[in-house]
Amino acid sequence: MAITKVNEKLLEDLQVMGFPQARATRALYYSGNTSLEDAITWMIDHENDTDIDEFPLVDVDIDIDTSSSSSFPITDEMRMKAHSLREQERKRKRNDEQIIQREREKERIQAGKKLLEAKRIAEENERKRNLALRKAEKEEEQRARGNILKKLDQDKLNRRSEHGLPLESQENARSTAIVIKHDKISRPVYTTTKVEHLRECLRSLKREHKGENARIRRGFETLLVYVGNVVKNPKEEKFRKIRLSNPLFQDRVGSLDGGVEFLELCGFERRDELLYLPSEKIDMGLLSSAGFVLNSAITNPFFGLLST
């Protein structure tokens, strides 16, 4: 196969008019290589051909007579046709570009809508999660308060038994329940306030050591042991004394922001190198509340995530 040879003078004229060499060559070849007008007419008729801008290939070369090329002058009609072809080609390219731009704009709008929808769903899920966390923590605190009241009632019965006082009958127990219910209103505010201070102390500790879950849990468990020992053995002085310099205490409690403060809220006092809980300052109700608060902080995964 060989590239077609055409009238070079006609080819040059077509190129001067703005046509690509391959298109001009193809038009001259297929129009008979006779005149500019025939070549331009062929290009108009075949402007939508997919191979219009490819060089035509032929099996053999043909002889081209260029001596008569001067007999085909470029007329105004030819120029108008050439201009029309170029304009059509520019419009076609411009339309193609506009179509591509519109498609891209549609894709951009669709992507924006999907992004906004995903953001809305994420915000809705976050709102629902926060509501669930808040509800779970409130329910946990309500259960803790109920357990504290039950523990206080049981401690009261135990103290009556230890002092040899007769146990109350079921009727008296019901009356006592009513008294306790009314007493919740008239009970001194300081007890509720202290319990809330205990809870806030642990929340603050958890926030200060965010990300150190294992260390926080170990500290809470150690505090629960200290408080539990006093509740179980209030008369044993060894359980009411803690050496501040004790390496184990320092590692698990003393090094935590709020660890010593929690014990002080439970009644412990600083005395030189000791934390000491005087026997006359033992508040079993407060200590029991501290135990429940600690147990809640250990077992409830939502503890401290939200403020009530």
Side-chain angles (χ1 to χ4, degrees):
M1 302 293 286
I3 297 177
T4 305
K5 292 182 179 180
V6 295
N7 188 302
E8 294 181 359
K9 183 65 173 64
L10 296 177
L11 177 62
E12 182 180 352
D13 290 339
L14 287 172
Q15 287 181 287
V16 169
M17 295 171 68
F19 295 106
Q21 182 181 1
R23 183 179 298 192
T25 301
R26 196 176 190 87
L28 286 171
Y29 174 75
Y30 285 110
S31 65
N33 208 51
T34 56
S35 67
L36 290 175
E37 184 175 5
D38 290 343
I40 293 173
T41 301
W42 184 92
M43 282 190 281
I44 292 174
D45 294 338
H46 296 82
E47 62 176 327
N48 293 323
D49 291 359
T50 57
D51 59 352
I52 192 170
D53 287 322
E54 296 179 4
F55 283 101
L57 299 177
V58 295
D59 294 330
V60 295
D61 293 341
I62 60 175
D63 294 331
I64 303 299
D65 182 12
T66 61
S67 61
S68 61
S69 60
S70 59
S71 62
F72 299 102
I74 300 176
T75 65
D76 292 339
E77 183 179 359
M78 292 179 185
R79 291 191 178 91
M80 291 176 63
K81 287 184 178 181
H83 178 72
S84 176
L85 281 177
R86 289 195 297 272
E87 285 297 317
Q88 290 177 8
E89 180 65 14
R90 280 196 292 269
K91 288 181 180 180
R92 184 186 66 80
K93 290 182 178 180
R94 186 162 57 249
N95 289 336
D96 291 344
E97 291 176 355
Q98 289 175 350
I99 291 173
I100 293 174
Q101 288 178 356
R102 283 196 295 269
E103 290 299 322
R104 288 176 179 173
E105 182 65 15
K106 288 180 181 178
E107 292 176 358
R108 187 189 67 79
I109 292 174
Q110 289 296 327
K113 289 181 177 179
K114 290 180 180 179
L115 181 63
L116 289 175
E117 180 64 14
K119 183 179 179 181
R120 185 192 66 78
I121 293 174
E123 290 176 348
E124 179 66 16
N125 291 338
E126 180 67 13
R127 186 185 68 83
K128 291 180 179 179
R129 188 179 72 87
N130 289 336
L131 289 176
L133 290 175
R134 188 177 293 110
K135 181 179 179 182
E137 187 170 356
K138 286 184 177 180
E139 290 176 350
E140 182 274 330
E141 290 187 355
Q142 289 176 355
R143 288 194 298 269
R145 291 191 184 101
N147 290 334
I148 290 170
L149 292 176
K150 291 179 181 179
K151 181 64 176 177
L152 290 175
D153 291 341
Q154 186 61 45
D155 289 342
K156 182 178 179 180
L157 293 176
N158 291 341
R159 287 196 297 271
R160 291 179 65 86
S161 177
E162 289 175 1
H163 290 84
L165 298 175
L167 297 178
E168 299 174 343
S169 63
Q170 292 182 354
E171 183 65 29
N172 290 336
R174 285 196 294 270
S175 300
T176 303
I178 296 174
V179 172
I180 291 175
K181 182 177 180 180
H182 288 289
D183 189 51
K184 283 179 64 179
I185 301 175
S186 60
R187 185 181 302 161
V189 179
Y190 77 88
T191 302
T192 303
T193 303
K194 283 188 176 181
V195 173
E196 187 55 37
H197 285 172
L198 290 170
R199 194 182 305 278
E200 183 56 34
C201 180
L202 295 184
R203 287 179 183 145
S204 176
L205 188 153
K206 196 170 183 178
R207 288 194 297 268
E208 289 295 328
H209 298 278
K210 185 177 181 181
E212 302 179 77
N213 294 336
R215 185 183 176 195
I216 292 171
R217 183 182 181 88
R218 186 176 58 181
F220 286 173
E221 290 174 345
T222 303
L223 288 170
L224 185 59
V225 170
Y226 287 135
V227 172
N229 284 340
V230 177
V231 171
K232 295 175 183 177
N233 307 280
K235 296 181 181 180
E236 291 287 340
E237 188 179 34
K238 66 179 181 179
F239 293 122
R240 294 186 279 111
K241 291 194 301 184
I242 303 173
R243 283 192 303 109
L244 291 171
S245 59
N246 186 314
L248 183 63
F249 172 80
Q250 282 297 325
D251 178 57
R252 297 191 173 190
V253 178
S255 59
L256 294 175
D257 294 334
V260 174
E261 178 187 352
F262 185 86
L263 290 171
E264 290 177 334
L265 290 172
C266 292
F268 282 84
E269 301 175 351
R270 289 177 183 265
R271 294 189 178 180
D272 296 329
E273 295 298 320
L274 292 176
L275 280 176
Y276 182 69
L277 178 58
S279 58
E280 66 274 10
K281 291 189 176 182
I282 296 176
D283 186 339
M284 295 300 291
L286 180 61
L287 291 173
S288 297
S289 298
F292 280 112
V293 172
L294 282 167
N295 187 61
S296 171
I298 293 171
T299 59
N300 179 14
F302 307 118
F303 184 88
L305 294 180
L306 294 171
S307 298
T308 56

